[in-house]
Amino acid sequence: MLIFDIRWTGVTKLPSSMSQLTQLKSLLLEEDSMVRPPATICQHGTDAILQYLFALLETRATKACTLQLNFLGEVARGKTSLSRTLQSGTPSLTSSVDRTSVVEQGTWNPEDHIRFNINDFGGHQSYRVGHPLFISEAGVVCIVFNSLQYDPLSEGDFTNNIGNWIDMIQSRYPGIDLVVLGTHVDRCDEVKVDEIRCSIQRRMQAQAEKKQMLLDQQIEHLEEQISRNRRCDLPFLEAYRDKYENLKSLRECTKNKTHPIFMVSSQTLLGFGDLEIYLIKLAEAKKVELPKRWLDLASTILKDSGNLLTIDYDYLRQKFMKLNDVTIDLAPTNASSEFNNVMCFLASSGEIIWFEKHPALKNTIFHRQRLLADLLRVVLDHNNYARVNFFLQEGLITQMEMDDYTLRGIVSRNLLKNLWKTFNLNHFDIDTMTELLKSLELCYEVPCKSIMSKDSAYHFPCLLTEGKPEHLSTKWPHEISHEKHQLSLRFQFHHGCPCGVYEKFSVRLHRHLGLFKLRRVDWKDGLYAELGANSILVLRQQRGRECTITISVRGKKIPQLWEHLLNAHNDLLKIQTRDWPGLHFTKHLICPHCERLCLPNPSVFPGEILDLERPSNETRGFYSTVPCDNAVPDRCIPASMVIPAMAEFAPMAEYNKAALRAHQKALVDDITEPCLRDVLLRFQQEGIFSEREVLTVKSRDSQRERNVIFLDILRTKEERAFYEFTRYLGANGQLHLSELLQL
């Protein structure tokens, strides 16, 4: 096997002849700095690179300058006028009634070999959850503000119009090219224009430095914690080290980068010349070499795709291979691999939307993006009341469907059909769109209450506008009852929580509710749900630019609470890692003792504890308790309340011992010999029972006696023994006993 490592060599172009290295199995390179092959190909590994080089060897290379250009900003800042003026080359002003919903798309060809695919995004809050669907990380983002309305002395004007958008974009796409655009410059004097430009540059620099300073402070604090290196702090030490490495990586991603500022007028074309020159140079710098047949075949495929909402991936692949067989003799596997590369290029340049890594959508190509944007618009439109009310007056929907949509963010399938009626979608298209909405975690499915429809309905958290319901105080009282425990985890987003993070988390959480889905209660900034005998409360709070999401679970059994909290933690962490890799946050576990006392400044513990593996026997010996200065007299609380794995090793709870005693007769009568033998084997392997204890049980003459002595020993064990026992009962065909103990 041949491995070729060209990292740190400065090489940016590979010769096409490398495709002839038949023994080459692994090619290591710096993806982001490569020009040939382009980064989008390098990301797919050695086979994709060799296929690209082979295609260059067989057909002449063509320089491709196709770049995605995205206009973002608050409502009515001149984005659409700017976009249309750029495309037409003539002044183009937009009326207030012609404002963009979700996204308006177009193309701009400043030169024969350069093409920009333009996304002009609506600025309303409800549309922002749909923005990431259309933005490619290989594109350019322009943040648009109205210079006529901008006060260079106002920190708030900068934050709302520019600062928040920079934070959001860098959280989602670290390292993406950013441009700041001021509109209506023809109505500002030169002095104000200079003041605005200098003010924005100064504030952008200060914002970047503040981010770096906050990261540096956290890193320095962690270095102090790690340097103590006390043996008894081992689990916390591991958590601190993980957090330390994450912060160092994030600091590298957020190093100061200059963002150009352009001041333009869509009425007089003032400033457009400089902007166009910059964008053309940027496109030239990002141009890639592609096999000519890639562009030819891509053009043929998209031209012949008809008026369908989507194209089937396998249909396109077969068509590509058929055309490929005519032009060049390739093995089917190579042709299929090459087609995948073509699709990656088209997706990165904004020509198509393709969810390559999404199981439910990877076989669907969305090539009519304008239609897709319109379909999203009519669902997310904040001005939909009149349209939906018309459906109600015409008898097309019920009052309940109307209330569900306007008050609770629930859209029935019947209402969806009516909203999309003018688009002439067939049943397959409607199914595809609803699957897209669910797969993107914009909504989750709920039963439809309307008597007119037996279909499902879809709950969109992003459409909620109501505050926390008053009746919720009876379900989740402020004070924690003495028989219950509460575990809480707080995610703190230091530069704001981008629109879509909480909403996706809210949707993903729904899959954990099982048979209790109908008891869920949602409002704009929170949700309450029941999880069997337990319950969960999620709250989002905004204080200035800082945002927190707090997840709390309540119930009697601590191991079950940890299971629910870990599920929620892992879901939110996966969303952040996959969709918002540049998002800066910290997470803390809140001391359960302090919460029970309702203390305003509770003790906190590093949330990275939740990322750790089960502690060793040696570590468990040191961690029977953890410190809390608010706990008297010992200033300590049980470790099982802070470290999830330690909950397994706490003494068995009295209510579980009581369950074993209450159902002693049924257990003694019904536990079979094979089941007990399996449980003993597993308990010995897990270190729950010692070898001597296992022999003691086995030494009894009858099965009933063995069951009795087993249960006597079991009640002296740790909490984990009870839950492992119930699990093994179910695995051995004695589910009735397992369920009996858990009632």
Side-chain angles (χ1 to χ4, degrees):
M1 181 176 71
L2 180 61
I3 299 176
F4 195 32
D5 189 349
I6 57 171
R7 293 173 295 180
W8 310 295
T9 62
V11 174
T12 59
K13 294 184 178 181
L14 300 180
S16 54
S17 57
M18 279 191 67
S19 63
Q20 304 302 301
L21 298 177
T22 57
Q23 299 301 312
L24 182 60
K25 297 300 180 183
S26 181
L27 181 58
L28 306 177
L29 42 73
E30 296 178 74
E31 297 174 1
D32 294 338
S33 61
M34 292 302 296
V35 176
R36 186 177 66 197
T40 53
I41 302 300
C42 296
Q43 290 168 2
H44 288 76
T46 301
D47 290 341
I49 293 172
L50 295 179
Q51 183 58 57
Y52 163 86
L53 295 175
F54 181 76
L56 283 184
L57 190 66
E58 296 296 323
T59 185
R60 72 181 178 86
T62 300
K63 296 276 174 70
C65 288
T66 303
L67 199 59
Q68 188 188 73
L69 187 59
N70 304 284
F71 292 104
L72 291 168
E74 295 297 315
V75 178
R77 295 303 189 266
K79 298 184 295 295
T80 301
S81 296
L82 195 158
S83 170
R84 293 177 181 177
T85 300
L86 197 62
Q87 294 175 57
S88 66
T90 58
S92 178
L93 300 181
T94 307
S95 65
S96 60
V97 297
D98 195 25
R99 288 176 181 165
T100 305
S101 298
V102 186
V103 62
E104 178 181 295
Q105 297 188 310
T107 58
W108 173 44
N109 297 86
E111 297 180 8
D112 290 340
H113 66 293
I114 296 178
R115 171 188 171 95
F116 287 89
N117 291 317
I118 295 179
N119 289 325
D120 165 27
F121 291 99
H124 194 274
Q125 183 77 15
S126 63
Y127 299 147
R128 296 179 190 178
V129 293
H131 290 174
L133 176 63
F134 300 93
I135 298 177
S136 166
E137 59 184 344
V140 182
V141 171
C142 299
I143 300 173
V144 182
F145 71 98
N146 186 335
S147 58
L148 181 64
Q149 301 172 351
Y150 188 86
D151 181 0
L153 300 179
S154 170
E155 177 71 27
D157 268 14
F158 170 79
T159 299
N160 295 331
N161 288 280
I162 300 169
N164 286 343
W165 287 96
I166 291 177
D167 284 338
M168 182 193 72
I169 294 161
Q170 290 182 337
S171 297
R172 177 86 189 193
Y173 311 100
I176 197 170
D177 286 297
L178 282 173
V179 178
V180 178
L181 292 176
T183 60
H184 301 84
V185 70
D186 59 301
R187 300 172 64 182
C188 301
D189 59 55
E190 292 185 8
V191 174
K192 183 178 181 181
V193 170
D194 289 340
E195 288 178 351
I196 290 174
R197 181 180 282 108
C198 292
S199 172
I200 292 174
Q201 287 175 336
R202 184 174 64 253
R203 294 188 191 278
M204 283 196 298
Q205 179 68 23
Q207 178 172 305
E209 290 176 353
K210 186 176 180 180
K211 285 184 184 180
Q212 289 289 308
M213 183 179 69
L214 180 58
L215 288 169
D216 288 340
Q217 288 174 348
Q218 290 182 302
I219 290 172
E220 183 178 349
H221 174 71
L222 288 172
E223 286 175 342
E224 292 176 2
Q225 297 289 336
I226 293 170
S227 65
R228 296 175 185 176
N229 198 25
R230 291 183 298 178
R231 190 180 185 191
C232 61
D233 286 337
L234 186 57
F236 291 114
L237 187 62
E238 293 176 15
Y240 288 141
R241 284 174 176 161
D242 287 346
K243 186 174 181 178
Y244 177 75
E245 293 301 324
N246 290 335
L247 288 175
K248 284 180 63 179
S249 299
L250 188 58
R251 183 173 60 179
E252 289 300 311
C253 293
T254 57
K255 281 185 175 178
N256 295 353
K257 186 176 181 180
T258 303
H259 306 305
I261 303 171
F262 293 92
M263 312 292 280
V264 300
S265 168
S266 297
Q267 185 167 8
T268 66
L269 301 185
L270 181 65
F272 268 83
D274 292 339
L275 174 61
E276 291 178 6
I277 290 172
Y278 175 81
L279 292 175
I280 290 171
K281 286 183 177 179
L282 197 58
E284 289 279 4
K286 290 177 174 286
K287 67 185 176 184
V288 296
E289 289 187 32
L290 297 174
K292 185 177 184 300
R293 70 163 177 263
W294 282 26
L295 300 178
D296 293 342
L297 291 171
S299 176
T300 301
I301 290 170
L302 295 177
K303 187 185 298 182
D304 193 34
S305 58
N307 294 321
L308 299 174
L309 171 64
T310 63
I311 316 175
D312 182 70
Y313 176 89
D314 290 330
Y315 166 77
L316 284 185
R317 182 172 58 84
Q318 291 171 8
K319 187 171 184 179
F320 179 93
M321 292 172 66
K322 183 178 179 181
L323 292 170
N324 210 30
D325 288 339
V326 175
T327 58
I328 189 169
D329 183 20
L330 287 176
T333 53
N334 288 338
S336 180
S337 175
E338 186 176 4
F339 171 72
N340 213 60
N341 287 343
V342 176
M343 291 296 103
C344 290
F345 163 70
L346 292 175
S348 67
S349 61
E351 297 281 0
I352 62 172
I353 294 177
W354 178 41
F355 303 93
E356 179 192 6
K357 298 179 181 179
H358 202 296
L361 296 172
K362 65 181 180 181
N363 290 323
T364 303
I365 308 296
F366 293 87
H367 64 297
R368 298 183 65 194
Q369 295 187 52
R370 294 186 184 184
L371 174 58
L372 180 60
D374 287 339
L375 292 171
L376 282 175
R377 172 180 54 79
V378 296
V379 177
L380 303 178
D381 193 346
H382 62 289
N383 292 318
N384 250 352
Y385 182 85
R387 182 186 290 115
V388 178
N389 190 54
F390 170 78
F391 296 152
L392 177 64
Q393 301 305 318
E394 292 294 312
L396 299 174
I397 64 172
T398 65
Q399 183 66 51
M400 183 175 289
E401 287 178 283
M402 173 82 172
D403 292 342
D404 274 346
Y405 179 74
T406 56
L407 300 177
R408 290 175 282 277
I410 295 175
V411 187
S412 68
R413 187 177 176 88
N414 176 50
L415 176 54
L416 273 180
K417 291 177 181 177
N418 283 286
L419 288 171
W420 290 339
K421 190 172 183 179
T422 57
F423 298 99
N424 298 317
L425 300 184
N426 56 38
H427 289 294
F428 176 78
D429 288 337
I430 293 175
D431 289 342
T432 300
M433 277 302 300
T434 53
E435 183 61 40
L436 174 67
L437 294 172
K438 290 190 296 180
S439 297
L440 294 176
E441 296 175 309
L442 293 176
C443 64
Y444 58 85
E445 195 167 338
V446 295
C448 184
K449 302 175 185 177
S450 172
I451 59 174
M452 292 183 60
S453 175
K454 296 181 181 180
D455 290 330
S456 295
Y458 307 93
H459 180 233
F460 289 78
C462 59
L463 295 178
L464 289 167
T465 58
E466 292 189 322
K468 184 178 179 180
E470 291 184 3
H471 75 272
L472 207 63
S473 59
T474 59
K475 294 180 177 292
W476 190 282
H478 181 66
E479 293 186 0
I480 305 168
S481 60
H482 70 277
E483 76 273 9
K484 289 188 176 182
H485 303 283
Q486 178 171 317
L487 303 177
S488 295
L489 172 66
R490 179 185 297 152
F491 281 81
Q492 188 172 1
F493 302 91
H494 300 282
H495 309 296
C497 183
C499 186
V501 174
Y502 169 79
E503 290 77 7
K504 276 198 169 192
F505 173 62
S506 174
V507 170
R508 191 171 294 194
L509 189 67
H510 197 65
R511 64 184 179 181
H512 299 300
L513 303 186
L515 298 176
F516 295 88
K517 289 183 170 69
L518 295 180
R519 297 188 183 179
R520 169 174 175 157
V521 180
D522 285 83
W523 58 99
K524 182 180 179 181
D525 292 306
L527 68 90
Y528 165 86
E530 293 182 8
L531 299 156
N534 308 304
S535 53
I536 183 170
L537 180 72
V538 180
L539 295 175
R540 174 174 58 179
Q541 294 175 300
Q542 189 80 37
R543 294 186 181 90
R545 296 190 66 190
E546 193 168 85
C547 177
T548 60
I549 294 178
T550 305
I551 308 162
S552 300
V553 289
R554 277 186 186 177
K556 295 181 179 180
K557 301 181 179 181
I558 294 177
Q560 290 182 357
L561 297 182
W562 277 123
E563 181 181 352
H564 298 317
L565 192 63
L566 284 169
N567 284 337
H569 163 266
N570 293 339
D571 281 346
L572 188 50
L573 202 61
K574 286 176 183 176
I575 290 170
Q576 179 272 323
T577 303
R578 188 189 70 182
D579 297 336
W580 305 92
L583 189 58
H584 180 201
F585 69 92
T586 55
K587 55 184 179 180
H588 293 98
L589 287 161
I590 304 173
C591 174
H593 171 78
C594 296
E595 283 202 304
R596 181 175 292 281
L597 298 178
C598 300
L599 299 180
N601 296 304
S603 300
V604 294
F605 304 92
E608 283 70 21
I609 290 173
L610 302 184
D611 303 323
L612 301 178
E613 300 293 332
R614 176 183 291 190
S616 64
N617 290 330
E618 181 184 14
T619 304
R620 291 202 301 268
F622 285 108
Y623 265 83
S624 60
T625 60
V626 293
C628 170
D629 290 339
N630 298 316
V632 292
D634 299 327
R635 299 206 302 172
C636 288
I637 62 173
S640 60
M641 303 296 289
V642 176
I643 305 174
M646 293 302 297
E648 303 176 20
F649 302 99
M652 188 179 295
E654 286 302 321
Y655 50 77
N656 286 331
K657 292 181 181 180
L660 290 171
R661 285 192 293 267
H663 302 294
Q664 170 96 357
K665 185 178 186 306
L667 293 168
V668 170
D669 290 343
D670 290 358
I671 292 177
T672 63
E673 189 274 333
C675 177
L676 182 62
R677 185 172 63 244
D678 182 56
V679 171
L680 289 173
L681 175 63
R682 293 173 182 270
F683 272 22
Q684 186 173 351
Q685 291 173 341
E686 292 288 330
I688 297 174
F689 272 33
S690 67
E691 183 179 359
R692 181 182 294 276
E693 288 169 328
V694 171
L695 292 174
T696 299
V697 175
K698 290 182 175 180
S699 67
R700 296 304 189 265
D701 294 331
S702 68
Q703 182 62 36
R704 286 182 58 84
E705 289 179 313
R706 287 192 287 272
N707 290 346
V708 169
I709 194 65
F710 168 78
L711 293 172
D712 287 344
I713 298 174
L714 178 63
R715 285 192 294 271
T716 69
K717 295 300 178 180
E718 301 161 329
E719 184 77 336
R720 61 173 176 151
F722 178 84
Y723 293 101
E724 291 294 292
F725 176 51
T726 57
R727 186 162 66 88
Y728 293 146
L729 283 174
N732 279 275
Q734 302 205 269
L735 189 60
H736 66 291
L737 294 178
S738 176
E739 292 175 344
L740 197 64
L741 290 173
Q742 296 180 71
L743 289 176

